Amino acid sequence: MRILLLKGEQNMFNAQAKGHYLIGAKQVKNAIIAGKALKVYVASDSETQIISPIVELSQKSGLSLFYVNTRKELGEMCGIKVKASCAVETI
């Protein structure tokens, strides 16, 4: 499932999160492999070589995949002051 989050929907990320979330390609990949991922968030402006493996793993695992417009927006949604290519909500 692919969903594009619009800028006004950013607060939905924090409001709907029932578990914790991890930020960064390595942590996201590990959470998916470990079976702890619920939802995966990917910034559309991320480099393809970074997010392609994440997108593939998400699709193979049947996880919901949400696209955010920019890395900056995803970082803000996660409550950090730096850009983020991907994030995952975990159990």
Side-chain angles (χ1 to χ4, degrees):
M1 171 190 269
R2 298 173 78 174
I3 298 173
L4 176 65
L5 293 178
L6 303 175
K7 191 167 185 166
E9 297 173 321
Q10 288 180 2
N11 293 333
M12 288 174 51
F13 179 74
N14 292 327
Q16 292 179 347
K18 296 181 180 174
H20 300 301
Y21 57 93
L22 302 172
I23 304 162
K26 191 172 186 177
Q27 290 189 52
V28 170
K29 182 179 176 182
N30 290 338
I32 295 170
I33 292 170
K36 296 182 178 183
L38 297 174
K39 298 176 186 174
V40 178
Y41 299 86
V42 175
S44 296
D45 67 343
S46 298
E47 294 181 30
T48 306
Q49 70 236 26
I50 292 173
I51 61 168
S52 288
I54 302 299
V55 171
E56 273 186 44
L57 276 173
S58 299
Q59 291 172 342
K60 286 180 183 177
S61 301
L63 296 169
S64 296
L65 184 60
F66 298 89
Y67 283 88
V68 180
N69 289 327
T70 66
R71 293 179 296 141
K72 182 179 179 184
E73 286 179 21
L74 184 55
E76 289 171 359
M77 288 171 56
C78 295
I80 59 174
K81 295 181 180 181
V82 294
K83 298 174 183 177
S85 295
C86 53
V88 63
E89 182 182 336
T90 62
I91 300 171

Coordinates of all heavy atoms in Angstrom, one line a residue:
M1 N 0.8 -1.2 0.0 CA 0.0 0.0 0.0 C 0.9 1.2 0.0 O 1.8 1.3 0.8 CB -0.9 0.0 1.2 CG -1.7 1.3 1.4 SD -2.5 1.4 3.0 CE -4.0 0.7 2.6
R2 N 0.6 2.2 -0.9 CA 1.4 3.4 -1.0 C 0.5 4.6 -0.7 O -0.5 4.7 -1.4 CB 2.1 3.5 -2.3 CG 3.0 2.4 -2.6 CD 3.5 2.5 -4.0 NE 4.5 3.5 -4.1 CZ 5.2 3.8 -5.1 NH1 5.0 3.1 -6.2 NH2 6.1 4.7 -5.2
I3 N 0.9 5.4 0.2 CA 0.1 6.6 0.5 C 1.0 7.8 0.6 O 2.1 7.7 1.2 CB -0.7 6.4 1.9 CG1 -1.6 5.3 1.8 CG2 -1.4 7.7 2.3 CD1 -2.3 4.9 3.1
L4 N 0.6 8.9 0.0 CA 1.4 10.1 0.1 C 0.8 11.0 1.2 O -0.4 11.3 1.1 CB 1.4 10.9 -1.3 CG 2.1 12.2 -1.3 CD1 3.6 12.0 -1.1 CD2 1.9 12.9 -2.6
L5 N 1.6 11.4 2.2 CA 1.1 12.3 3.2 C 1.3 13.7 2.8 O 2.4 14.1 2.3 CB 1.9 12.0 4.5 CG 1.7 10.7 5.2 CD1 2.6 10.6 6.4 CD2 0.3 10.5 5.6
L6 N 0.3 14.5 2.9 CA 0.4 15.9 2.6 C 0.9 16.7 3.8 O 0.8 16.2 4.9 CB -1.0 16.4 2.1 CG -1.5 15.7 0.9 CD1 -2.9 16.2 0.6 CD2 -0.7 15.8 -0.3
K7 N 1.4 17.9 3.6 CA 2.0 18.7 4.6 C 1.0 18.8 5.8 O 1.4 18.7 7.0 CB 2.4 20.0 4.1 CG 3.3 20.7 5.1 CD 4.0 21.9 4.5 CE 4.9 22.5 5.6 NZ 5.9 23.4 5.1
G8 N -0.3 19.1 5.6 CA -1.2 19.3 6.6 C -1.5 18.0 7.5 O -2.1 18.1 8.5
E9 N -1.1 16.8 7.0 CA -1.3 15.6 7.6 C -0.2 15.2 8.5 O -0.2 14.1 9.1 CB -1.6 14.5 6.6 CG -2.9 14.7 5.8 CD -3.0 13.7 4.7 OE1 -2.0 13.4 4.1 OE2 -4.2 13.3 4.5
Q10 N 0.8 16.0 8.7 CA 2.0 15.6 9.4 C 1.7 15.3 10.8 O 2.3 14.4 11.4 CB 3.0 16.8 9.4 CG 3.7 17.0 8.1 CD 4.7 18.1 8.1 OE1 4.9 18.7 9.1 NE2 5.3 18.4 7.0
N11 N 0.8 16.0 11.5 CA 0.5 15.7 12.9 C -0.2 14.3 13.0 O -0.2 13.8 14.1 CB -0.4 16.8 13.4 CG 0.3 18.1 13.5 OD1 1.5 18.1 13.6 ND2 -0.4 19.2 13.5
M12 N -0.7 13.8 11.9 CA -1.3 12.4 12.0 C -0.3 11.4 12.4 O -0.6 10.4 13.1 CB -1.9 12.0 10.7 CG -3.2 12.8 10.3 SD -3.7 12.4 8.6 CE -3.8 10.6 8.6
F13 N 0.9 11.6 11.9 CA 2.0 10.6 12.2 C 2.2 10.5 13.7 O 2.2 9.4 14.3 CB 3.3 11.1 11.6 CG 4.5 10.2 11.8 CD1 4.6 9.0 11.2 CD2 5.5 10.6 12.7 CE1 5.7 8.2 11.4 CE2 6.6 9.8 12.9 CZ 6.7 8.6 12.3
N14 N 2.3 11.6 14.4 CA 2.5 11.6 15.9 C 1.3 11.2 16.6 O 1.3 10.5 17.6 CB 3.1 12.9 16.4 CG 4.5 13.2 15.9 OD1 5.2 12.3 15.7 ND2 4.8 14.4 15.6
A15 N 0.1 11.6 16.2 CA -1.1 11.3 16.9 C -1.5 9.8 16.7 O -2.1 9.3 17.7 CB -2.2 12.2 16.3
Q16 N -1.2 9.2 15.6 CA -1.6 7.8 15.4 C -0.6 6.8 15.9 O -0.9 5.6 16.0 CB -2.0 7.6 13.9 CG -3.2 8.3 13.5 CD -3.4 8.1 12.0 OE1 -2.6 7.6 11.3 NE2 -4.6 8.5 11.5
A17 N 0.6 7.3 16.2 CA 1.6 6.3 16.5 C 1.3 5.6 17.9 O 1.1 6.3 18.9 CB 3.0 7.0 16.7
K18 N 1.1 4.3 17.9 CA 0.8 3.6 19.1 C 2.0 3.0 19.7 O 2.1 2.7 20.8 CB -0.2 2.5 18.7 CG -1.5 3.1 18.3 CD -2.5 2.1 18.0 CE -3.8 2.8 17.5 NZ -4.8 2.0 17.0
G19 N 3.0 2.8 18.9 CA 4.3 2.2 19.3 C 5.4 3.3 19.3 O 5.1 4.4 19.4
H20 N 6.6 2.8 19.1 CA 7.7 3.7 18.9 C 8.1 3.8 17.5 O 7.6 3.0 16.7 CB 8.9 3.2 19.8 CG 8.6 3.1 21.2 ND1 8.2 4.1 22.0 CD2 8.6 2.0 22.0 CE1 8.0 3.7 23.2 NE2 8.2 2.4 23.3
Y21 N 8.9 4.8 17.1 CA 9.4 4.8 15.8 C 10.9 4.9 15.7 O 11.5 5.5 16.6 CB 8.7 5.9 14.9 CG 8.8 7.3 15.4 CD1 9.8 8.1 15.0 CD2 7.8 7.8 16.3 CE1 9.8 9.4 15.5 CE2 7.9 9.1 16.8 CZ 8.9 9.9 16.4 OH 9.0 11.2 16.8
L22 N 11.5 4.4 14.7 CA 12.9 4.4 14.5 C 13.2 5.2 13.2 O 12.4 5.2 12.3 CB 13.4 3.0 14.3 CG 13.2 2.1 15.5 CD1 13.6 0.6 15.2 CD2 13.9 2.5 16.7
I23 N 14.3 5.9 13.1 CA 14.6 6.7 12.0 C 16.0 6.3 11.4 O 16.9 5.9 12.1 CB 14.8 8.2 12.5 CG1 13.5 8.6 13.2 CG2 15.1 9.1 11.3 CD1 13.6 9.8 14.1
G24 N 16.0 6.3 10.1 CA 17.2 5.9 9.4 C 17.1 4.6 8.7 O 16.5 3.6 9.2
A25 N 17.8 4.4 7.5 CA 17.6 3.3 6.7 C 18.0 2.0 7.4 O 17.4 0.9 7.3 CB 18.4 3.4 5.4
K26 N 19.1 2.0 8.1 CA 19.6 0.8 8.8 C 18.7 0.3 9.9 O 18.3 -0.9 9.9 CB 21.0 1.1 9.4 CG 21.7 -0.2 9.8 CD 23.2 0.2 10.2 CE 23.9 -1.1 10.6 NZ 25.3 -0.8 10.9
Q27 N 18.2 1.2 10.7 CA 17.2 0.9 11.7 C 15.9 0.4 11.2 O 15.3 -0.5 11.7 CB 17.0 2.0 12.7 CG 18.2 2.3 13.5 CD 17.9 3.4 14.6 OE1 17.0 3.2 15.3 NE2 18.7 4.4 14.6
V28 N 15.4 1.1 10.1 CA 14.2 0.7 9.4 C 14.3 -0.7 8.9 O 13.4 -1.6 9.1 CB 13.8 1.7 8.3 CG1 12.6 1.2 7.5 CG2 13.4 3.1 9.0
K29 N 15.4 -1.0 8.2 CA 15.6 -2.3 7.6 C 15.7 -3.4 8.6 O 15.0 -4.4 8.5 CB 16.9 -2.3 6.8 CG 17.3 -3.6 6.1 CD 18.6 -3.5 5.3 CE 18.9 -4.8 4.7 NZ 20.2 -4.7 4.0
N30 N 16.3 -3.1 9.7 CA 16.4 -4.1 10.8 C 15.1 -4.4 11.5 O 14.8 -5.5 11.8 CB 17.4 -3.7 11.9 CG 18.9 -3.7 11.4 OD1 19.2 -4.5 10.4 ND2 19.8 -3.0 12.0
A31 N 14.3 -3.3 11.6 CA 12.9 -3.5 12.2 C 12.0 -4.3 11.3 O 11.3 -5.2 11.8 CB 12.3 -2.1 12.5
I32 N 12.1 -4.1 10.0 CA 11.3 -4.9 9.1 C 11.7 -6.4 9.1 O 10.9 -7.2 9.2 CB 11.4 -4.3 7.6 CG1 10.8 -2.9 7.6 CG2 10.7 -5.2 6.6 CD1 11.1 -2.2 6.3
I33 N 13.0 -6.6 9.0 CA 13.5 -8.0 9.0 C 13.2 -8.7 10.3 O 12.8 -9.9 10.3 CB 15.1 -8.0 8.8 CG1 15.4 -7.5 7.4 CG2 15.7 -9.3 9.1 CD1 16.8 -7.3 7.1
A34 N 13.2 -8.0 11.5 CA 12.9 -8.6 12.8 C 11.4 -8.8 13.0 O 10.9 -9.4 13.9 CB 13.4 -7.7 13.9
G35 N 10.6 -8.2 12.0 CA 9.1 -8.4 12.1 C 8.5 -7.4 13.1 O 7.4 -7.7 13.6
K36 N 9.2 -6.4 13.5 CA 8.7 -5.4 14.5 C 8.1 -4.1 13.8 O 7.6 -3.3 14.5 CB 9.8 -5.0 15.4 CG 10.3 -6.1 16.2 CD 11.4 -5.7 17.2 CE 11.8 -6.9 18.1 NZ 12.8 -6.5 19.1
A37 N 8.1 -4.1 12.5 CA 7.6 -2.9 11.8 C 6.1 -2.9 11.6 O 5.5 -4.0 11.3 CB 8.3 -2.7 10.4
L38 N 5.4 -1.8 11.8 CA 4.0 -1.7 11.5 C 3.7 -0.8 10.3 O 3.0 -1.2 9.4 CB 3.3 -1.0 12.7 CG 3.3 -1.8 14.1 CD1 2.7 -0.9 15.2 CD2 2.6 -3.1 13.9
K39 N 4.4 0.3 10.2 CA 4.2 1.2 9.1 C 5.6 1.8 8.7 O 6.4 2.1 9.6 CB 3.3 2.4 9.5 CG 1.9 2.0 9.8 CD 1.1 3.2 10.2 CE -0.3 2.8 10.7 NZ -1.0 4.0 11.3
V40 N 5.8 2.0 7.4 CA 7.1 2.5 7.0 C 6.8 3.9 6.3 O 5.9 4.0 5.5 CB 7.7 1.5 6.0 CG1 9.0 2.1 5.4 CG2 8.0 0.2 6.7
Y41 N 7.6 4.8 6.6 CA 7.5 6.2 6.0 C 8.8 6.5 5.2 O 9.9 6.3 5.7 CB 7.4 7.2 7.1 CG 6.1 7.0 7.9 CD1 6.1 6.1 9.0 CD2 4.9 7.7 7.6 CE1 5.0 5.9 9.8 CE2 3.8 7.5 8.4 CZ 3.8 6.6 9.4 OH 2.7 6.4 10.2
V42 N 8.6 6.9 4.0 CA 9.8 7.2 3.1 C 9.6 8.6 2.5 O 8.5 9.0 2.1 CB 9.8 6.2 2.0 CG1 10.9 6.5 1.0 CG2 10.0 4.8 2.5
A43 N 10.7 9.3 2.5 CA 10.7 10.7 1.9 C 10.9 10.5 0.4 O 11.8 9.8 -0.1 CB 11.8 11.5 2.5
S44 N 10.1 11.2 -0.4 CA 10.1 11.1 -1.9 C 11.4 11.6 -2.5 O 11.8 11.2 -3.5 CB 8.9 11.8 -2.5 OG 7.7 11.2 -2.1
D45 N 12.0 12.6 -1.8 CA 13.3 13.1 -2.3 C 14.5 12.4 -1.9 O 15.6 12.9 -2.1 CB 13.3 14.6 -2.0 CG 13.5 14.9 -0.6 OD1 13.3 14.0 0.3 OD2 13.9 16.1 -0.2
S46 N 14.4 11.3 -1.3 CA 15.6 10.5 -0.9 C 16.2 9.8 -2.1 O 15.6 9.6 -3.1 CB 15.1 9.3 0.1 OG 14.6 9.9 1.2
E47 N 17.5 9.5 -1.9 CA 18.3 8.9 -3.0 C 17.7 7.4 -3.2 O 17.5 6.7 -2.2 CB 19.7 8.8 -2.6 CG 20.4 10.2 -2.6 CD 21.9 10.1 -2.3 OE1 22.5 9.1 -2.6 OE2 22.4 11.1 -1.6
T48 N 17.6 7.1 -4.4 CA 17.0 5.8 -4.8 C 17.7 4.6 -4.2 O 17.1 3.7 -3.6 CB 16.9 5.6 -6.3 OG1 16.3 6.7 -6.9 CG2 16.2 4.4 -6.7
Q49 N 19.1 4.7 -4.2 CA 19.8 3.5 -3.6 C 19.6 3.3 -2.1 O 19.9 2.3 -1.6 CB 21.3 3.7 -3.9 CG 22.0 4.8 -3.2 CD 22.7 5.8 -4.1 OE1 22.3 6.0 -5.2 NE2 23.7 6.5 -3.6
I50 N 19.2 4.4 -1.4 CA 19.0 4.3 0.0 C 17.6 3.7 0.3 O 17.5 2.8 1.1 CB 19.1 5.7 0.7 CG1 20.6 6.1 0.6 CG2 18.6 5.6 2.1 CD1 20.8 7.5 1.1
I51 N 16.6 4.2 -0.4 CA 15.2 3.7 -0.1 C 14.7 2.5 -0.9 O 13.7 1.9 -0.4 CB 14.2 4.9 -0.2 CG1 14.2 5.5 -1.6 CG2 14.5 6.0 0.8 CD1 13.0 6.4 -1.9
S52 N 15.3 2.2 -2.0 CA 14.9 1.0 -2.8 C 14.8 -0.2 -2.0 O 13.8 -1.0 -2.0 CB 15.7 0.8 -4.0 OG 15.5 1.9 -4.9
P53 N 15.8 -0.6 -1.2 CA 15.8 -1.8 -0.4 C 14.7 -1.7 0.7 O 14.0 -2.7 0.9 CB 17.1 -1.9 0.3 CG 18.0 -1.0 -0.5 CD 17.2 0.0 -1.1
I54 N 14.4 -0.6 1.2 CA 13.4 -0.4 2.2 C 12.0 -0.6 1.6 O 11.1 -1.3 2.1 CB 13.5 1.0 2.8 CG1 14.8 1.3 3.5 CG2 12.3 1.3 3.8 CD1 15.2 0.4 4.6
V55 N 11.8 0.0 0.4 CA 10.5 -0.1 -0.3 C 10.3 -1.6 -0.7 O 9.2 -2.1 -0.5 CB 10.5 0.8 -1.6 CG1 9.3 0.5 -2.4 CG2 10.5 2.2 -1.2
E56 N 11.3 -2.3 -1.2 CA 11.2 -3.7 -1.5 C 10.8 -4.5 -0.3 O 9.9 -5.4 -0.4 CB 12.5 -4.2 -2.1 CG 12.6 -4.0 -3.6 CD 13.9 -4.7 -4.2 OE1 14.2 -5.8 -3.8 OE2 14.5 -4.0 -5.0
L57 N 11.6 -4.4 0.8 CA 11.3 -5.1 2.0 C 9.9 -4.9 2.5 O 9.2 -5.8 2.9 CB 12.3 -4.8 3.1 CG 13.6 -5.5 3.1 CD1 14.5 -4.9 4.1 CD2 13.4 -7.0 3.3
S58 N 9.4 -3.6 2.5 CA 8.1 -3.2 2.9 C 7.0 -4.0 2.1 O 6.1 -4.5 2.6 CB 7.9 -1.7 2.8 OG 8.8 -1.1 3.6
Q59 N 7.2 -3.9 0.8 CA 6.2 -4.6 -0.1 C 6.2 -6.1 0.1 O 5.2 -6.7 0.1 CB 6.5 -4.2 -1.6 CG 6.3 -2.7 -1.8 CD 6.7 -2.3 -3.2 OE1 7.6 -3.0 -3.8 NE2 6.2 -1.2 -3.7
K60 N 7.4 -6.7 0.2 CA 7.4 -8.2 0.4 C 6.8 -8.5 1.8 O 6.3 -9.6 1.9 CB 8.9 -8.6 0.4 CG 9.5 -8.7 -1.0 CD 10.9 -9.1 -1.0 CE 11.5 -9.1 -2.4 NZ 12.9 -9.5 -2.4
S61 N 6.9 -7.7 2.7 CA 6.4 -8.0 4.1 C 4.9 -7.6 4.2 O 4.3 -7.8 5.2 CB 7.2 -7.2 5.1 OG 8.6 -7.6 5.1
G62 N 4.4 -6.9 3.2 CA 3.0 -6.5 3.2 C 2.7 -5.3 4.1 O 1.6 -5.2 4.6
L63 N 3.7 -4.5 4.4 CA 3.6 -3.4 5.3 C 3.0 -2.2 4.5 O 3.2 -2.0 3.3 CB 4.9 -3.0 5.9 CG 5.6 -4.0 6.8 CD1 7.0 -3.6 7.1 CD2 4.8 -4.2 8.1
S64 N 2.3 -1.3 5.3 CA 1.8 0.0 4.7 C 3.0 0.9 4.5 O 3.9 1.0 5.4 CB 0.8 0.6 5.6 OG -0.3 -0.1 5.8
L65 N 3.1 1.5 3.3 CA 4.2 2.3 2.9 C 3.7 3.7 2.6 O 2.8 3.9 1.8 CB 4.9 1.7 1.7 CG 6.1 2.4 1.1 CD1 7.3 2.4 2.2 CD2 6.6 1.7 -0.1
F66 N 4.2 4.7 3.4 CA 3.7 6.0 3.3 C 4.8 6.9 2.8 O 5.9 6.8 3.2 CB 3.3 6.6 4.7 CG 2.1 5.8 5.3 CD1 2.3 4.7 6.1 CD2 0.8 6.2 5.1 CE1 1.3 4.0 6.6 CE2 -0.2 5.5 5.6 CZ 0.0 4.4 6.4
Y67 N 4.5 7.7 1.8 CA 5.5 8.7 1.2 C 5.2 10.1 1.7 O 4.1 10.5 1.7 CB 5.4 8.6 -0.3 CG 6.0 7.4 -1.0 CD1 5.3 6.3 -1.1 CD2 7.4 7.4 -1.3 CE1 5.9 5.1 -1.7 CE2 7.9 6.3 -1.9 CZ 7.2 5.2 -2.0 OH 7.8 4.1 -2.6
V68 N 6.3 10.7 2.1 CA 6.3 12.1 2.5 C 7.0 12.9 1.4 O 8.0 12.4 0.8 CB 7.0 12.2 3.9 CG1 7.0 13.7 4.4 CG2 6.3 11.3 4.9
N69 N 6.6 14.1 1.2 CA 7.2 14.9 0.1 C 8.7 15.1 0.2 O 9.5 14.9 -0.7 CB 6.6 16.3 0.1 CG 5.2 16.2 -0.5 OD1 4.8 15.4 -1.3 ND2 4.3 17.1 0.0
T70 N 9.2 15.5 1.4 CA 10.7 15.8 1.5 C 11.3 15.1 2.8 O 10.6 14.8 3.7 CB 11.0 17.3 1.6 OG1 10.4 17.8 2.8 CG2 10.4 18.0 0.4
R71 N 12.6 15.0 2.8 CA 13.3 14.5 3.9 C 13.2 15.4 5.1 O 13.1 15.0 6.3 CB 14.8 14.3 3.6 CG 15.0 13.1 2.6 CD 16.4 12.9 2.2 NE 17.0 14.1 1.6 CZ 18.2 14.6 1.7 NH1 19.0 14.0 2.5 NH2 18.6 15.7 1.1
K72 N 13.1 16.7 4.8 CA 13.0 17.7 5.9 C 11.6 17.5 6.6 O 11.6 17.6 7.8 CB 13.1 19.1 5.3 CG 13.0 20.2 6.3 CD 13.1 21.6 5.7 CE 13.0 22.6 6.8 NZ 13.0 24.0 6.3
E73 N 10.6 17.3 5.8 CA 9.2 17.1 6.4 C 9.2 15.9 7.2 O 8.6 15.9 8.3 CB 8.2 17.1 5.3 CG 7.8 18.4 4.7 CD 6.8 18.3 3.6 OE1 6.0 17.3 3.5 OE2 6.7 19.2 2.7
L74 N 9.8 14.8 6.7 CA 9.8 13.6 7.5 C 10.6 13.7 8.8 O 10.2 13.3 9.9 CB 10.4 12.4 6.7 CG 10.4 11.0 7.3 CD1 9.0 10.6 7.8 CD2 11.0 10.0 6.4
G75 N 11.7 14.4 8.8 CA 12.4 14.7 10.0 C 11.6 15.5 11.0 O 11.6 15.2 12.2
E76 N 10.9 16.5 10.5 CA 10.0 17.3 11.4 C 8.9 16.4 12.0 O 8.5 16.6 13.1 CB 9.4 18.5 10.6 CG 10.4 19.5 10.2 CD 9.8 20.6 9.3 OE1 8.7 20.5 8.9 OE2 10.6 21.5 9.0
M77 N 8.3 15.5 11.1 CA 7.3 14.6 11.6 C 7.8 13.7 12.7 O 7.0 13.4 13.6 CB 6.7 13.8 10.5 CG 5.9 14.6 9.5 SD 5.5 13.6 8.0 CE 4.7 12.2 8.6
C78 N 9.0 13.4 12.6 CA 9.7 12.5 13.6 C 10.1 13.3 14.9 O 10.6 12.7 15.8 CB 10.8 11.7 13.0 SG 10.3 10.6 11.7
G79 N 10.0 14.6 14.8 CA 10.5 15.4 15.9 C 12.0 15.6 16.1 O 12.5 15.8 17.1
I80 N 12.7 15.5 14.9 CA 14.1 15.7 14.9 C 14.4 17.0 14.1 O 13.6 17.4 13.3 CB 14.9 14.5 14.4 CG1 14.5 14.2 13.0 CG2 14.7 13.3 15.4 CD1 15.3 13.0 12.4
K81 N 15.6 17.5 14.3 CA 15.9 18.8 13.7 C 16.8 18.6 12.4 O 17.2 19.5 11.8 CB 16.7 19.7 14.6 CG 15.8 20.1 15.8 CD 16.6 21.1 16.7 CE 15.7 21.5 17.9 NZ 16.4 22.4 18.8
V82 N 16.9 17.3 12.0 CA 17.6 17.0 10.8 C 16.7 16.3 9.8 O 15.7 15.8 10.2 CB 18.9 16.2 11.1 CG1 19.9 17.0 11.9 CG2 18.6 14.9 11.8
K83 N 17.2 16.1 8.6 CA 16.4 15.4 7.6 C 16.4 13.9 7.8 O 17.4 13.4 8.4 CB 17.0 15.7 6.2 CG 16.9 17.2 5.8 CD 17.6 17.5 4.5 CE 17.6 18.9 4.1 NZ 18.3 19.2 2.9
A84 N 15.4 13.3 7.3 CA 15.3 11.8 7.5 C 14.8 11.2 6.2 O 13.8 11.7 5.6 CB 14.3 11.4 8.6
S85 N 15.5 10.2 5.7 CA 15.1 9.5 4.5 C 13.9 8.5 4.7 O 13.1 8.4 3.8 CB 16.3 8.7 3.9 OG 17.3 9.6 3.5
C86 N 13.9 7.9 5.8 CA 12.9 6.9 6.1 C 12.7 6.8 7.7 O 13.6 7.1 8.4 CB 13.1 5.6 5.5 SG 14.7 4.9 5.8
A87 N 11.6 6.3 8.0 CA 11.3 6.0 9.4 C 10.3 4.8 9.5 O 9.6 4.5 8.5 CB 10.7 7.2 10.1
V88 N 10.2 4.2 10.6 CA 9.3 3.1 10.8 C 8.6 3.2 12.1 O 9.2 3.5 13.1 CB 10.0 1.7 10.6 CG1 11.1 1.5 11.7 CG2 9.1 0.6 10.6
E89 N 7.3 2.9 12.2 CA 6.6 2.7 13.4 C 6.7 1.3 13.8 O 6.5 0.4 13.0 CB 5.1 3.1 13.2 CG 4.3 3.1 14.5 CD 2.9 3.4 14.4 OE1 2.5 4.2 13.4 OE2 2.1 3.0 15.2
T90 N 7.1 1.0 15.1 CA 7.3 -0.3 15.5 C 6.3 -0.7 16.6 O 5.6 0.1 17.2 CB 8.7 -0.5 16.1 OG1 8.9 0.4 17.2 CG2 9.8 -0.2 15.0
I91 N 6.3 -2.0 16.9 CA 5.4 -2.6 17.9 C 5.8 -2.1 19.2 O 6.9 -2.0 19.6 CB 5.4 -4.1 17.8 CG1 5.0 -4.6 16.5 CG2 4.6 -4.7 18.9 CD1 5.2 -6.1 16.2

